[in-house]
Amino acid sequence: MDPALLRERELFKKRALSTPVVEKRPTPSDSGSHKKKKARIEKEASSGSKQNAESSNGSFNIKTSSGYKFGCLAKIVNYMKTRHQNGDTHFLTLEEILDETKLLDISMKQKQWLMTEALVSNPKIDVRDGTYGFKPKYNLKDKKALLRLLDKHDQLGLGGVLLEEVEEGLPNSARAIKALGDQITFVTRPDKKKILFYNDKHCQFLVDEEFQKLWRSVPVDSMDEEKIEEYLKKQGITSMQESGPKKVLPVQKRKKQAGQRKRHFKTHNNHLAGVLEDYADGVPVKKSN
């Protein structure tokens, strides 16, 4: 090793040993504040981790969220629908509904929301004197009411009624539909929903087989109503729409002519022209002789 570097090393050691070093020891006050600061940091960290754990478990602030409120409303509406379908059509108070749906732990604010907004404005809930019941589209009491409804739709040309709407409004609907038998008929739509129709037996008649073949041989899948009507007109056939009542156009009022003559009225009492006096400007003054 270079002798010059060794000499500089020895000189550096001597200077380091000759320089005094003072060690600063912590005072009791400094150690106490340090412990308090450390404890506060640990407390905040533990509380934050606890809140995160509660929120991850789904129990943090869940009962005040809008999703929980509307979930309670959906549960109530479904329960009211089910009991109506089972024949329990009497009305209930809100406390009775909450008791039967196991929702007694909701807050007073949510109860107030149900009473003043949610249940009152719901189209499937009927409110009567502070009590609540289910409100179906068709409120049917028995199978006779269902048959009258289907007959009315048939007479007015309204078509059929959805099976799900009948099941919603008619208690024990399956038993009633089965009892009606062939008085009603079903048609399944492309979306798999079933439609109930009144089976009018007066319209049942035999159609000649040759006519059925001719009817089925005419393709109309690619034609809409306007094209069908146009085709019928070309064949000299009048459609049913033209046989209905025609619209009456409003009668337009005649405009007055600009240079209209003034009407002359016949005057009367011409033979008293020299006797009658005009009092429009007051009583006339008598002339002195």
Side-chain angles (χ1 to χ4, degrees):
M1 193 171 181
D2 191 358
L5 291 175
L6 290 174
R7 284 195 300 269
E8 288 180 2
R9 181 185 177 195
E10 293 297 326
L11 291 172
F12 176 79
K13 285 182 178 181
K14 289 179 180 180
R15 286 197 300 269
L17 291 173
S18 63
T19 304
V21 178
V22 179
E23 183 180 357
K24 186 178 180 182
R25 296 181 179 180
T27 60
S29 60
D30 292 340
S31 61
S33 61
H34 178 71
K35 289 179 180 179
K36 290 180 180 179
K37 185 176 180 181
K38 185 177 180 181
R40 187 172 68 251
I41 293 172
E42 290 176 354
K43 185 178 179 180
E44 290 175 356
S46 63
S47 63
S49 62
K50 185 178 180 181
Q51 288 180 358
N52 291 333
E54 288 177 349
S55 62
S56 63
N57 291 333
S59 60
F60 178 73
N61 206 23
I62 189 171
K63 292 186 178 180
T64 58
S65 63
S66 59
Y68 178 76
K69 288 198 308 182
F70 286 102
C72 293
L73 176 61
K75 186 175 182 180
I76 290 173
V77 174
N78 289 332
Y79 170 74
M80 299 299 287
K81 176 182 176 180
T82 302
R83 66 185 297 272
H84 183 89
Q85 290 174 333
N86 293 333
D88 298 332
T89 56
H90 61 280
F91 280 51
L92 299 175
T93 63
L94 181 59
E95 294 297 331
E96 291 172 336
I97 294 173
L98 296 177
D99 183 26
E100 296 188 15
T101 54
K102 312 299 182 186
L103 294 173
L104 292 173
D105 57 341
I106 65 174
S107 64
M108 286 300 299
K109 186 177 181 181
Q110 291 169 349
K111 286 183 182 180
Q112 192 69 18
W113 175 74
L114 287 171
M115 292 174 61
T116 58
E117 296 181 34
L119 294 177
V120 175
S121 60
N122 194 287
K124 292 297 182 181
I125 298 296
D126 192 8
V127 184
R128 297 180 188 174
D129 300 327
T131 58
Y132 306 90
F134 186 70
K135 183 168 65 175
K137 183 175 182 179
Y138 303 108
N139 195 3
L140 307 169
K141 294 182 179 180
D142 49 24
K143 62 181 181 181
K144 293 182 179 178
L146 172 60
L147 196 62
R148 286 195 298 269
L149 174 67
L150 296 176
D151 187 15
K152 181 180 178 181
H153 273 239
D154 181 67
Q155 295 294 332
L156 298 177
L158 300 177
V161 179
L162 279 169
L163 175 61
E164 60 185 31
E165 293 176 349
V166 173
E167 292 175 341
E168 181 183 80
L170 177 60
N172 304 311
S173 59
R175 186 168 57 192
I177 291 172
K178 185 177 180 180
L180 289 174
D182 62 348
Q183 297 182 69
I184 59 176
T185 183
F186 290 89
V187 173
T188 304
R189 295 195 317 196
D191 58 359
K192 305 300 181 183
K193 291 186 177 182
K194 291 186 176 181
I195 313 295
L196 271 69
F197 288 89
Y198 177 71
N199 189 14
D200 191 356
K201 296 181 180 180
H202 295 90
C203 298
Q204 293 180 358
F205 52 88
L206 295 175
V207 180
D208 188 70
E209 188 175 352
E210 184 178 355
F211 180 80
Q212 294 182 30
K213 290 180 180 179
L214 289 172
W215 177 269
R216 292 166 183 164
S217 64
V218 180
V220 292
D221 294 339
S222 60
M223 301 179 67
D224 55 13
E225 295 293 333
E226 294 182 358
K227 290 182 179 179
I228 293 175
E229 186 177 356
E230 184 180 353
Y231 175 79
L232 292 175
K233 285 182 179 180
K234 288 181 179 179
Q235 303 299 322
I237 302 173
T238 305
S239 63
M240 292 181 64
Q241 294 179 357
E242 294 182 356
S243 62
K246 296 182 179 180
K247 293 182 179 180
V248 179
L249 297 175
V251 180
Q252 296 182 354
K253 295 182 179 179
R254 296 176 62 184
K255 295 182 180 180
K256 294 183 179 180
Q257 296 179 0
Q260 191 174 5
R261 293 182 180 180
K262 293 183 178 180
R263 297 179 65 182
H264 296 281
F265 297 92
K266 186 178 181 180
T267 57
H268 301 279
N269 299 327
N270 292 330
H271 62 285
L272 299 174
V275 179
L276 297 177
E277 296 181 359
D278 188 5
Y279 289 86
D281 298 328
V283 180
V285 180
K286 293 182 179 181
K287 297 179 181 180
S288 57
N289 295 331

